[in-house]
Structure formats: structure tokens, C-alpha cells
């Protein structure tokens, strides 16, 4: 590991660090905007999707190439009584 760091010029390491920081900043800004614009009842559907996006972007990081955990089942949609249908009772 030390041999690799000494073989790579410092400007290449700084450029790689700048790209990683920029990628993380863009992801944070987009995630914050998506969560801020989402309706509270839609968050249960949006957050797993954001988690998958973050997991995919983590593969760009050098240490993010490990094994991925199992993906969760998609959430079950909740039907509202306001959207038609008759009330029982």
C-alpha cells in the first residue's frame, strides 16, 4: 500500500480526492432536495430508492467494491379510501 502511494504523484491523489468530495457533495445536495420536496406520506417509497442510488454511487469509491447486502422487498402500496370504491358498513 505504501509503495502505491509513493508511486502515484501527489497531484493525482489530490485530483482523486477532489472528485470524491465533489461526488459526495452532489449526492448530498440531490438527496436533500428530493427529501425536501417529497410529501411525508411518500417518504416510505422514496428513501429505499435513495438508498439504492447511494449504494450504486458507493461503487465508484475505491473502498466501496465489497459485497452488497440483500436488497429489501419493495414497500406495499397503501390504498386510500378517497380514491373511489364504496365504503363498507
Amino acid at each position: 500500500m505504501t509503495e502505491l502511494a509513493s508511486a502515484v504523484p501527489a497531484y493525482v491523489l489530490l485530483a482523486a480526492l477532489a472528485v470524491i468530495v465533489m461526488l459526495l457533495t452532489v449526492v448530498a445536495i440531490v438527496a436533500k432536495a428530493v427529501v425536501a420536496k417529497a410529501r411525508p406520506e411518500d417518504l416510505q417509497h422514496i428513501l429505499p430508492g435513495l438508498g439504492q442510488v447511494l449504494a450504486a454511487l458507493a461503487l465508484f469509491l475505491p473502498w466501496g467494491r465489497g459485497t452488497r447486502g440483500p436488497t429489501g422487498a419493495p414497500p406495499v402500496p397503501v390504498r386510500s379510501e378517497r380514491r373511489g370504491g364504496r365504503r363498507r358498513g
Side-chain angles (χ1 to χ4, degrees):
M1 179 82 178
T2 309
E3 299 88 24
L4 178 65
S6 63
V8 177
Y11 66 89
V12 173
L13 292 175
L14 286 175
L17 181 63
V19 168
I20 290 171
V21 169
M22 188 171 58
L23 179 66
L24 291 175
T25 303
V26 168
V27 168
I29 290 170
V30 169
K32 184 177 178 182
V34 166
V35 171
K37 288 187 181 248
R39 296 182 310 199
E41 60 268 13
D42 291 338
L43 283 178
Q44 65 179 345
H45 303 290
I46 291 173
L47 293 179
L50 276 176
Q52 290 179 353
V53 169
L54 292 175
L57 287 173
L59 294 175
F60 285 107
L61 299 173
W63 56 85
R65 303 234 182 248
T67 60
R68 291 178 57 180
T71 59
V76 178
V78 178
R79 290 196 153 177
S80 173
E81 288 187 23
R82 292 182 288 159
R83 290 194 169 187
R86 292 186 290 173
R87 290 187 181 208
R88 296 181 191 171

